[in-house]
Amino acid sequence: MSKVTTEVEQLVTPIVESLNLELVEVEFVKEGRDWFLRVYVDTPEGSIDIEQCAQVSELLSVKLDEVDPIEQNYFLEVSSPGAERPLKKDEDFEKSIGQFVHIKSYEAINGMKEFEGYLKSYTDQGAELAVQIKTRKITVLIPKDKIAKARLAIDFSAER
């Protein structure tokens, strides 16, 4: 995590918690000529609205002006993580058991580095997914230390 995202996370966490919201992720990225500070927040139930995002944006903007942790000009965006919410913390995985997820691994497991399937369990050993490969349904265990990225996904298959 970059210094900027770490500092912003420390600034925004008390704001988000005071509003009974959840901090999902902080990104600081350059796109073209512009820098964007993106803060993704949600409710514990997963139903954040635009007014709540605006409230976080206003409070965080005041805090950022006070502390001024970012040297370059940037655009602040506060939004919902969307339908394909990233899974970062153990609690994110635990809340997502039974849901369709996409996981990328650092190294190949059973000859693959990307998996989509239903999260069956999440333990100290890792994430257990029910994956369909062509006509076969298999269970894959992806060790925690091998998970590079994970997010909720949308299942477009006809059969569930």
Side-chain angles (χ1 to χ4, degrees), residues 8-9 13 19 40-42 50 57 61 66 71 74 87 90-91 94 98 100 119 126 134 140 150 155:
V8 171
E9 195 170 296
T13 297
L19 299 171
Y40 298 96
V41 294
D42 208 350
I50 195 160
S57 180
S61 186
E66 281 175 23
E71 293 179 20
Y74 61 92
L87 305 176
D90 288 345
E91 301 85 57
E94 290 161 4
F100 197 72
L119 184 60
K134 296 185 181 179
V140 177
D155 184 0

Side-chain angles (χ1 to χ4, degrees), residues 2-3 12 20 24-25 28 34 47 53 75 82-83 88 92 94-95 98 100 109 114-115 119 121-122 125 127 130-131:
S2 76
K3 182 181 179 218
V12 74
N20 295 318
V24 176
E25 186 173 24
F28 187 59
D34 299 318
S47 59
C53 290
F75 295 95
K88 301 269 188 181
D92 296 337
E94 290 161 4
K95 286 194 309 191
F100 197 72
I109 299 167
E114 291 194 41
F115 304 88
L119 184 60
S121 68
Y122 185 75
Q125 284 72 48
V131 178

Side-chain angles (χ1 to χ4, degrees), residues 30-75:
K30 186 172 186 180
E31 294 179 0
R33 295 178 163 175
D34 299 318
W35 283 91
F36 291 87
L37 175 61
R38 295 192 175 112
V39 177
Y40 298 96
V41 294
D42 208 350
T43 65
E45 303 80 35
S47 59
I48 195 157
D49 61 38
I50 195 160
E51 287 83 20
Q52 290 167 306
C53 290
Q55 194 173 15
V56 171
S57 180
E58 289 169 17
L59 294 170
L60 178 58
S61 186
V62 168
K63 199 61 148 168
L64 288 168
D65 288 344
E66 281 175 23
V67 178
D68 200 20
I70 304 171
E71 293 179 20
Q72 56 269 69
N73 291 332
Y74 61 92
F75 295 95

Side-chain angles (χ1 to χ4, degrees), residues 90 94 122-127 141-145:
D90 288 345
E94 290 161 4
Y122 185 75
T123 65
D124 289 339
Q125 284 72 48
L141 177 65
I142 304 163
K144 273 185 171 184
D145 64 342

